[in-house]
Amino acid sequence: PASHCNLVRTNKCRIQPSFRKIVTMDASPIPQAAAAASANPNANANASVDSLSSSSSRSLNPFDKALQHASAYPLKRNPLEQITTIQVNIGLTCNQACTHCHVASSPARKETMSRAVADKVLDLLASSPHITTLDITGGAPEMHDQFTYLVTEARKLQKHVMDRCNLTILNTPGMENLANFLATHQVHIVASLPCYTSANVNAQRGDSVFEESILALQKLNALGYGHPGTGLLLDLVYNPVGPFLPPNPTKLEVDYKQSLRKDFGIVFNSLYTITNMPIKRFLQDLKTRPDVVVSDTDGNVVSSMSAVDAYQDLLVRSFNPQTIGKLMCQTQVHVAYDGTIYDCDFNYALDLPSRLGNSDSSVENEGRNVLEYESVSEIVARNPCVVTAKHCLGCTAGVGSSCGGALI
Protein backbone atom coordinates (compact mmCIF):
# COMPACT_ATOMS: atom_id res chain seq x y z
CA PRO A 1 0.00 0.00 0.00
CA ALA A 2 1.12 3.53 -0.77
CA SER A 3 0.84 4.52 2.89
CA HIS A 4 3.92 2.55 3.98
CA CYS A 5 6.52 4.80 5.59
CA ASN A 6 8.91 4.68 2.66
CA LEU A 7 6.78 4.50 -0.47
CA VAL A 8 5.04 7.86 -0.55
CA ARG A 9 6.98 10.45 1.37
CA THR A 10 4.08 12.88 1.72
CA ASN A 11 1.95 10.25 3.40
CA LYS A 12 4.61 9.54 6.03
CA CYS A 13 3.23 6.94 8.47
CA ARG A 14 -0.40 7.89 8.64
CA ILE A 15 -2.86 5.37 10.03
CA GLN A 16 -3.15 2.64 7.49
CA PRO A 17 -6.19 2.41 5.18
CA SER A 18 -8.56 -0.52 5.40
CA PHE A 19 -6.99 -3.81 4.37
CA ARG A 20 -10.11 -4.12 2.20
CA LYS A 21 -8.38 -1.86 -0.33
CA ILE A 22 -5.15 -3.79 -0.41
CA VAL A 23 -6.09 -7.19 -1.74
CA THR A 24 -7.14 -7.28 -5.39
CA MET A 25 -6.68 -10.01 -7.94
CA ASP A 26 -7.99 -11.06 -11.31
CA ALA A 27 -11.02 -13.33 -11.23
CA SER A 28 -9.59 -15.72 -13.79
CA PRO A 29 -7.57 -18.72 -12.60
CA ILE A 30 -3.92 -17.66 -12.36
CA PRO A 31 -0.90 -19.17 -10.64
CA GLN A 32 -0.90 -18.25 -6.97
CA ALA A 33 2.65 -16.93 -7.21
CA ALA A 34 1.52 -14.38 -9.79
CA ALA A 35 -1.29 -13.30 -7.49
CA ALA A 36 1.28 -12.89 -4.76
CA ALA A 37 3.43 -10.68 -6.93
CA SER A 38 0.52 -8.37 -7.74
CA ALA A 39 -0.79 -8.18 -4.17
CA ASN A 40 2.58 -7.93 -2.48
CA PRO A 41 5.80 -6.68 -4.10
CA ASN A 42 7.88 -8.66 -1.57
CA ALA A 43 6.27 -11.98 -2.48
CA ASN A 44 8.56 -14.70 -3.80
CA ALA A 45 7.38 -16.23 -7.05
CA ASN A 46 8.59 -19.67 -6.04
CA ALA A 47 5.99 -20.00 -3.31
CA SER A 48 3.04 -21.68 -5.01
CA VAL A 49 0.09 -22.39 -2.76
CA ASP A 50 -1.38 -24.75 -5.33
CA SER A 51 1.68 -26.95 -5.31
CA LEU A 52 1.72 -26.92 -1.52
CA SER A 53 -1.62 -28.72 -1.37
CA SER A 54 -0.45 -32.03 -2.81
CA SER A 55 -1.67 -35.22 -1.18
CA SER A 56 1.77 -35.88 0.31
CA SER A 57 1.63 -32.72 2.42
CA ARG A 58 -2.05 -32.49 3.43
CA SER A 59 -1.35 -33.51 7.01
CA LEU A 60 1.25 -30.78 7.51
CA ASN A 61 0.61 -27.24 8.71
CA PRO A 62 0.96 -24.49 6.06
CA PHE A 63 4.53 -23.63 7.05
CA ASP A 64 5.69 -27.23 6.93
CA LYS A 65 4.01 -27.60 3.54
CA ALA A 66 6.03 -24.64 2.31
CA LEU A 67 9.20 -26.18 3.73
CA GLN A 68 8.42 -29.49 2.05
CA HIS A 69 7.90 -27.74 -1.28
CA ALA A 70 11.30 -26.06 -0.82
CA SER A 71 12.92 -29.42 0.11
CA ALA A 72 13.66 -28.03 3.58
CA TYR A 73 11.33 -30.14 5.74
CA PRO A 74 11.79 -30.70 8.61
CA LEU A 75 13.42 -27.43 9.61
CA LYS A 76 16.75 -28.16 11.29
CA ARG A 77 19.07 -26.13 13.44
CA ASN A 78 22.28 -24.90 11.89
CA PRO A 79 25.57 -26.58 12.89
CA LEU A 80 26.67 -25.89 16.46
CA GLU A 81 29.34 -23.37 15.49
CA GLN A 82 26.65 -21.27 13.76
CA ILE A 83 24.48 -21.10 16.89
CA THR A 84 25.74 -17.84 18.31
CA THR A 85 22.98 -16.46 20.53
CA ILE A 86 21.19 -17.26 23.76
CA GLN A 87 17.99 -15.24 23.87
CA VAL A 88 16.25 -14.98 27.23
CA ASN A 89 12.75 -13.76 27.94
CA ILE A 90 13.48 -12.45 31.40
CA GLY A 91 9.82 -11.93 32.30
CA LEU A 92 6.53 -10.40 31.22
CA THR A 93 6.19 -7.36 33.46
CA CYS A 94 6.13 -4.22 31.31
CA ASN A 95 5.22 -0.57 31.71
CA GLN A 96 3.24 -0.76 28.45
CA ALA A 97 0.58 -3.00 26.90
CA CYS A 98 1.09 -2.68 23.13
CA THR A 99 -1.50 -3.93 20.64
CA HIS A 100 1.09 -5.91 18.66
CA CYS A 101 2.79 -7.56 21.67
CA HIS A 102 3.12 -11.28 20.95
CA VAL A 103 3.70 -12.21 24.60
CA ALA A 104 0.87 -10.01 25.95
CA SER A 105 3.10 -8.15 28.41
CA SER A 106 1.64 -5.50 30.69
CA PRO A 107 2.08 -3.88 34.12
CA ALA A 108 -0.20 -6.58 35.54
CA ARG A 109 2.06 -9.49 34.54
CA LYS A 110 4.24 -10.80 37.37
CA GLU A 111 6.25 -13.59 35.69
CA THR A 112 9.98 -13.06 36.17
CA MET A 113 13.27 -14.97 36.01
CA SER A 114 14.83 -16.44 39.16
CA ARG A 115 18.49 -16.10 40.13
CA ALA A 116 18.90 -19.88 39.61
CA VAL A 117 17.86 -19.62 35.96
CA ALA A 118 19.97 -16.49 35.45
CA ASP A 119 23.00 -18.30 36.89
CA LYS A 120 22.46 -21.25 34.57
CA VAL A 121 22.26 -18.92 31.55
CA LEU A 122 25.59 -17.41 32.59
CA ASP A 123 27.07 -20.89 33.04
CA LEU A 124 26.02 -21.76 29.49
CA LEU A 125 27.58 -18.56 28.18
CA ALA A 126 30.83 -19.39 29.97
CA SER A 127 30.95 -23.00 28.75
CA SER A 128 29.96 -22.30 25.13
CA PRO A 129 32.62 -20.25 23.30
CA HIS A 130 30.59 -20.26 20.07
CA ILE A 131 27.88 -18.27 21.87
CA THR A 132 28.85 -14.64 21.39
CA THR A 133 25.58 -12.85 22.21
CA LEU A 134 23.11 -12.65 25.09
CA ASP A 135 19.84 -11.20 23.78
CA ILE A 136 17.53 -10.05 26.60
CA THR A 137 13.85 -9.50 25.90
CA GLY A 138 10.60 -9.37 27.91
CA GLY A 139 8.30 -7.58 28.91
CA ALA A 140 10.38 -4.59 29.67
CA PRO A 141 13.62 -6.42 30.52
CA GLU A 142 14.94 -3.57 32.64
CA MET A 143 12.06 -3.89 35.15
CA HIS A 144 13.18 -7.36 36.20
CA ASP A 145 15.45 -8.09 39.16
CA GLN A 146 17.91 -10.24 37.20
CA PHE A 147 18.47 -7.73 34.38
CA THR A 148 21.43 -5.82 35.80
CA TYR A 149 22.96 -9.06 37.10
CA LEU A 150 22.76 -10.74 33.69
CA VAL A 151 24.17 -7.69 31.92
CA THR A 152 27.06 -7.19 34.34
CA GLU A 153 28.11 -10.85 34.45
CA ALA A 154 27.71 -11.44 30.71
CA ARG A 155 29.89 -8.44 29.95
CA LYS A 156 32.54 -9.83 32.32
CA LEU A 157 32.50 -12.89 30.04
CA GLN A 158 33.06 -10.49 27.11
CA LYS A 159 29.74 -11.40 25.53
CA HIS A 160 27.80 -9.01 23.34
CA VAL A 161 24.64 -8.04 25.26
CA MET A 162 21.46 -6.82 23.56
CA ASP A 163 18.62 -5.12 25.41
CA ARG A 164 15.26 -5.05 23.64
CA CYS A 165 14.12 -1.76 25.07
CA ASN A 166 10.74 -0.05 24.68
CA LEU A 167 12.42 3.37 25.28
CA THR A 168 9.71 4.74 27.59
CA ILE A 169 11.19 2.70 30.45
CA LEU A 170 14.17 5.09 30.40
CA ASN A 171 11.86 7.92 31.56
CA THR A 172 10.10 5.91 34.27
CA PRO A 173 10.53 7.04 37.90
CA GLY A 174 13.16 4.90 39.58
CA MET A 175 14.97 4.27 36.29
CA GLU A 176 16.90 7.54 36.17
CA ASN A 177 20.28 5.77 36.08
CA LEU A 178 19.29 3.08 33.58
CA ALA A 179 20.64 4.82 30.47
CA ASN A 180 24.00 5.40 32.16
CA PHE A 181 24.14 1.77 33.25
CA LEU A 182 23.52 0.58 29.69
CA ALA A 183 26.19 2.90 28.30
CA THR A 184 28.74 1.96 30.96
CA HIS A 185 28.39 -1.72 30.05
CA GLN A 186 28.22 -1.01 26.30
CA VAL A 187 24.86 -2.72 25.97
CA HIS A 188 23.52 -2.84 22.42
CA ILE A 189 20.05 -1.25 22.54
CA VAL A 190 17.39 -2.51 20.14
CA ALA A 191 14.49 -0.13 20.58
CA SER A 192 10.93 -0.35 19.35
CA LEU A 193 9.78 2.65 17.32
CA PRO A 194 7.19 1.47 14.78
CA CYS A 195 7.16 4.78 12.94
CA TYR A 196 8.79 8.20 12.85
CA THR A 197 5.58 10.19 13.43
CA SER A 198 3.37 10.18 16.49
CA ALA A 199 0.05 9.00 15.04
CA ASN A 200 1.05 5.42 14.25
CA VAL A 201 3.26 4.95 17.31
CA ASN A 202 0.63 6.16 19.75
CA ALA A 203 -2.08 4.14 18.01
CA GLN A 204 -0.08 0.96 18.43
CA ARG A 205 1.68 1.55 21.74
CA GLY A 206 -0.42 4.04 23.72
CA ASP A 207 -0.96 7.76 24.24
CA SER A 208 2.19 9.90 24.43
CA VAL A 209 4.47 6.89 23.82
CA PHE A 210 5.99 8.55 20.76
CA GLU A 211 6.85 11.72 22.66
CA GLU A 212 8.35 9.71 25.53
CA SER A 213 10.32 7.61 23.04
CA ILE A 214 11.80 10.71 21.42
CA LEU A 215 12.94 12.00 24.81
CA ALA A 216 14.56 8.63 25.54
CA LEU A 217 16.35 8.56 22.19
CA GLN A 218 17.69 12.06 22.75
CA LYS A 219 18.96 10.95 26.17
CA LEU A 220 20.72 7.96 24.60
CA ASN A 221 22.23 10.13 21.86
CA ALA A 222 23.62 12.47 24.51
CA LEU A 223 25.46 9.48 26.02
CA GLY A 224 26.96 8.60 22.64
CA TYR A 225 24.49 5.98 21.49
CA GLY A 226 23.98 5.88 17.74
CA HIS A 227 27.08 7.95 16.99
CA PRO A 228 29.92 6.46 14.90
CA GLY A 229 33.02 5.40 16.76
CA THR A 230 31.48 5.24 20.24
CA GLY A 231 30.83 1.49 20.28
CA LEU A 232 27.34 2.26 21.64
CA LEU A 233 24.94 0.64 19.19
CA LEU A 234 21.39 1.93 18.94
CA ASP A 235 19.09 0.14 16.50
CA LEU A 236 15.39 0.84 15.98
CA VAL A 237 12.60 -1.61 15.20
CA TYR A 238 9.74 -1.08 12.76
CA ASN A 239 6.72 -3.32 12.57
CA PRO A 240 3.61 -2.63 10.47
CA VAL A 241 0.57 -1.09 12.09
CA GLY A 242 -1.77 -3.24 9.99
CA PRO A 243 -2.03 -6.58 8.18
CA PHE A 244 0.71 -6.25 5.61
CA LEU A 245 4.41 -6.96 5.27
CA PRO A 246 7.13 -4.44 6.05
CA PRO A 247 8.27 -2.35 3.07
CA ASN A 248 11.79 -2.29 1.64
CA PRO A 249 13.99 -2.06 4.75
CA THR A 250 16.82 -0.14 3.07
CA LYS A 251 14.57 2.63 1.80
CA LEU A 252 12.62 2.74 5.06
CA GLU A 253 15.83 3.17 7.06
CA VAL A 254 16.74 6.18 4.92
CA ASP A 255 13.33 7.72 5.65
CA TYR A 256 13.68 7.06 9.37
CA LYS A 257 17.14 8.60 9.55
CA GLN A 258 16.20 11.67 7.54
CA SER A 259 13.00 12.34 9.48
CA LEU A 260 14.33 11.70 12.98
CA ARG A 261 17.45 13.81 12.37
CA LYS A 262 15.52 16.67 10.75
CA ASP A 263 12.65 16.79 13.24
CA PHE A 264 14.38 15.81 16.50
CA GLY A 265 18.14 15.75 15.94
CA ILE A 266 18.18 11.97 16.58
CA VAL A 267 20.71 9.55 15.10
CA PHE A 268 20.81 5.75 15.24
CA ASN A 269 22.73 2.91 13.63
CA SER A 270 20.32 0.54 11.85
CA LEU A 271 16.62 -0.14 11.37
CA TYR A 272 15.18 -3.63 11.87
CA THR A 273 11.92 -4.47 10.11
CA ILE A 274 9.88 -7.21 11.76
CA THR A 275 6.71 -8.85 10.45
CA ASN A 276 3.76 -9.10 12.81
CA MET A 277 2.92 -12.66 13.81
CA PRO A 278 -0.80 -13.57 13.69
CA ILE A 279 -0.80 -14.57 17.36
CA LYS A 280 -1.89 -13.12 20.69
CA ARG A 281 -2.85 -9.42 20.61
CA PHE A 282 -2.19 -8.90 16.90
CA LEU A 283 -4.45 -11.87 16.14
CA GLN A 284 -7.17 -10.34 18.29
CA ASP A 285 -6.73 -7.06 16.40
CA LEU A 286 -7.16 -8.89 13.10
CA LYS A 287 -10.39 -10.42 14.36
CA THR A 288 -11.86 -6.95 14.88
CA ARG A 289 -11.15 -5.85 11.31
CA PRO A 290 -13.72 -6.02 8.49
CA ASP A 291 -13.68 -8.85 5.97
CA VAL A 292 -11.32 -8.48 3.04
CA VAL A 293 -13.06 -8.16 -0.32
CA VAL A 294 -11.29 -9.67 -3.33
CA SER A 295 -12.20 -7.91 -6.58
CA ASP A 296 -11.40 -8.43 -10.23
CA THR A 297 -9.87 -5.73 -12.42
CA ASP A 298 -13.31 -4.27 -13.12
CA GLY A 299 -14.06 -3.84 -9.44
CA ASN A 300 -16.51 -6.72 -9.23
CA VAL A 301 -16.46 -8.59 -5.94
CA VAL A 302 -15.15 -12.11 -6.46
CA SER A 303 -15.02 -13.32 -2.88
CA SER A 304 -14.36 -12.22 0.65
CA MET A 305 -12.49 -13.61 3.61
CA SER A 306 -11.85 -12.65 7.19
CA ALA A 307 -8.89 -10.39 7.91
CA VAL A 308 -7.29 -13.28 9.80
CA ASP A 309 -7.54 -15.61 6.79
CA ALA A 310 -6.41 -12.87 4.41
CA TYR A 311 -3.29 -12.13 6.46
CA GLN A 312 -2.44 -15.81 6.78
CA ASP A 313 -2.92 -16.18 3.03
CA LEU A 314 -0.58 -13.23 2.45
CA LEU A 315 2.10 -14.95 4.53
CA VAL A 316 1.65 -18.22 2.63
CA ARG A 317 1.82 -16.52 -0.78
CA SER A 318 4.89 -14.54 0.30
CA PHE A 319 6.94 -17.54 1.47
CA ASN A 320 10.56 -17.06 0.41
CA PRO A 321 12.78 -20.17 0.52
CA GLN A 322 15.89 -17.95 0.47
CA THR A 323 15.23 -17.19 4.13
CA ILE A 324 15.84 -20.82 5.16
CA GLY A 325 19.17 -21.20 6.94
CA LYS A 326 19.03 -17.61 8.20
CA LEU A 327 16.04 -17.95 10.53
CA MET A 328 16.66 -16.96 14.14
CA CYS A 329 15.38 -20.31 15.40
CA GLN A 330 18.23 -21.97 13.52
CA THR A 331 20.96 -19.85 15.11
CA GLN A 332 19.87 -19.42 18.72
CA VAL A 333 18.62 -21.10 21.88
CA HIS A 334 15.73 -19.36 23.61
CA VAL A 335 15.27 -19.59 27.39
CA ALA A 336 12.04 -18.46 29.06
CA TYR A 337 11.92 -16.82 32.49
CA ASP A 338 11.20 -20.20 34.13
CA GLY A 339 14.08 -21.93 32.33
CA THR A 340 12.01 -23.74 29.73
CA ILE A 341 13.81 -24.02 26.40
CA TYR A 342 12.11 -22.82 23.23
CA ASP A 343 13.26 -22.25 19.67
CA CYS A 344 12.16 -18.60 19.62
CA ASP A 345 10.14 -16.02 21.53
CA PHE A 346 7.10 -16.62 19.32
CA ASN A 347 7.05 -20.31 20.18
CA TYR A 348 7.37 -19.29 23.81
CA ALA A 349 4.30 -17.07 23.42
CA LEU A 350 2.36 -20.07 22.06
CA ASP A 351 3.78 -22.52 24.64
CA LEU A 352 5.54 -24.64 22.02
CA PRO A 353 8.71 -25.76 23.82
CA SER A 354 11.66 -27.25 22.00
CA ARG A 355 11.40 -30.90 21.07
CA LEU A 356 13.77 -32.11 23.77
CA GLY A 357 14.30 -35.24 25.83
CA ASN A 358 13.53 -38.89 25.25
CA SER A 359 10.22 -39.22 23.43
CA ASP A 360 9.71 -42.54 25.21
CA SER A 361 10.24 -41.00 28.64
CA SER A 362 7.42 -41.19 31.16
CA VAL A 363 8.50 -37.80 32.48
CA GLU A 364 6.54 -35.31 30.37
CA ASN A 365 8.91 -32.33 30.60
CA GLU A 366 12.21 -34.20 30.87
CA GLY A 367 15.02 -32.35 29.11
CA ARG A 368 13.04 -29.18 28.52
CA ASN A 369 14.56 -26.96 31.21
CA VAL A 370 17.88 -25.20 30.95
CA LEU A 371 18.75 -26.24 34.52
CA GLU A 372 19.27 -29.80 33.24
CA TYR A 373 22.18 -28.87 30.94
CA GLU A 374 25.84 -27.99 31.25
CA SER A 375 26.40 -26.58 27.75
CA VAL A 376 24.56 -25.38 24.68
CA SER A 377 26.07 -28.28 22.73
CA GLU A 378 24.06 -30.69 24.92
CA ILE A 379 20.87 -28.79 24.18
CA VAL A 380 21.50 -28.74 20.45
CA ALA A 381 22.43 -32.44 20.37
CA ARG A 382 19.04 -33.33 21.84
CA ASN A 383 17.17 -30.81 19.74
CA PRO A 384 18.25 -31.05 16.08
CA CYS A 385 14.90 -29.92 14.66
CA VAL A 386 12.89 -26.76 15.20
CA VAL A 387 9.29 -26.91 16.41
CA THR A 388 7.23 -25.25 13.68
CA ALA A 389 3.62 -24.12 13.15
CA LYS A 390 1.75 -21.88 10.74
CA HIS A 391 2.83 -18.66 12.48
CA CYS A 392 6.41 -19.38 11.33
CA LEU A 393 5.37 -18.12 7.89
CA GLY A 394 5.77 -14.63 9.32
CA CYS A 395 9.55 -15.13 9.44
CA THR A 396 9.83 -16.42 5.85
CA ALA A 397 7.56 -13.91 4.11
CA GLY A 398 9.06 -11.50 1.61
CA VAL A 399 12.56 -10.44 2.66
CA GLY A 400 12.18 -12.43 5.86
CA SER A 401 11.88 -11.36 9.46
CA SER A 402 13.82 -12.02 12.64
CA CYS A 403 14.82 -10.38 15.88
CA GLY A 404 17.63 -8.91 13.78
CA GLY A 405 15.30 -7.60 11.10
CA ALA A 406 15.17 -8.61 7.42
CA LEU A 407 17.03 -11.77 6.40
CA ILE A 408 17.82 -11.11 2.74
Side-chain angles (χ1 to χ4, degrees), residues 164-294:
R164 296 193 177 269
C165 181
N166 66 19
L167 291 176
T168 62
I169 192 67
L170 296 172
N171 305 322
T172 301
M175 295 288 183
E176 291 83 2
N177 294 323
L178 176 58
N180 284 318
F181 170 82
L182 297 172
T184 298
H185 291 85
Q186 292 190 304
V187 174
H188 177 180
I189 296 177
V190 180
S192 179
L193 190 72
C195 201
Y196 47 76
T197 60
S198 62
N200 271 3
V201 174
N202 291 340
Q204 186 181 88
R205 303 182 68 204
D207 293 343
S208 301
V209 168
F210 179 78
E211 291 74 19
E212 289 290 319
S213 297
I214 293 299
L215 289 175
L217 288 170
Q218 291 170 334
K219 181 184 297 185
L220 292 172
N221 277 175
L223 291 170
Y225 270 103
H227 292 281
T230 64
L232 297 175
L233 295 176
L234 173 61
D235 295 329
L236 302 184
V237 176
Y238 163 91
N239 60 280
V241 178
F244 38 81
L245 300 184
N248 182 293
T250 302
K251 294 180 180 179
L252 186 58
E253 181 177 302
V254 171
D255 265 10
Y256 260 72
K257 287 186 172 181
Q258 289 177 346
S259 294
L260 291 176
R261 182 185 285 273
K262 176 179 178 291
D263 296 338
F264 307 105
I266 289 170
V267 296
F268 65 96
N269 296 103
S270 299
L271 179 72
Y272 297 170
T273 58
I274 298 181
T275 301
N276 287 322
M277 294 290 173
I279 63 175
K280 296 288 184 171
R281 287 183 183 151
F282 185 65
L283 176 61
Q284 295 305 313
D285 177 70
L286 289 175
K287 290 180 178 179
T288 68
R289 293 174 178 264
D291 286 352
V292 175
V293 174
V294 181

Side-chain angles (χ1 to χ4, degrees), residues 322-355:
Q322 295 180 38
T323 59
I324 304 302
K326 303 175 183 178
L327 300 171
M328 58 186 174
C329 56
Q330 297 179 285
T331 61
Q332 71 173 24
V333 170
H334 180 94
V335 179
Y337 71 91
D338 62 356
T340 304
I341 301 169
Y342 294 84
D343 296 319
C344 71
D345 206 42
F346 300 114
N347 280 9
Y348 160 64
L350 294 174
D351 194 24
L352 295 173
S354 295
R355 198 172 285 120

Side-chain angles (χ1 to χ4, degrees), residues 90 112-116 118-119 136 141 143-151:
I90 198 170
T112 193
M113 182 173 284
S114 68
R115 176 58 66 92
D119 279 336
I136 309 176
M143 294 181 70
H144 293 264
D145 291 343
Q146 304 306 318
F147 177 76
T148 56
Y149 176 64
L150 279 172
V151 169

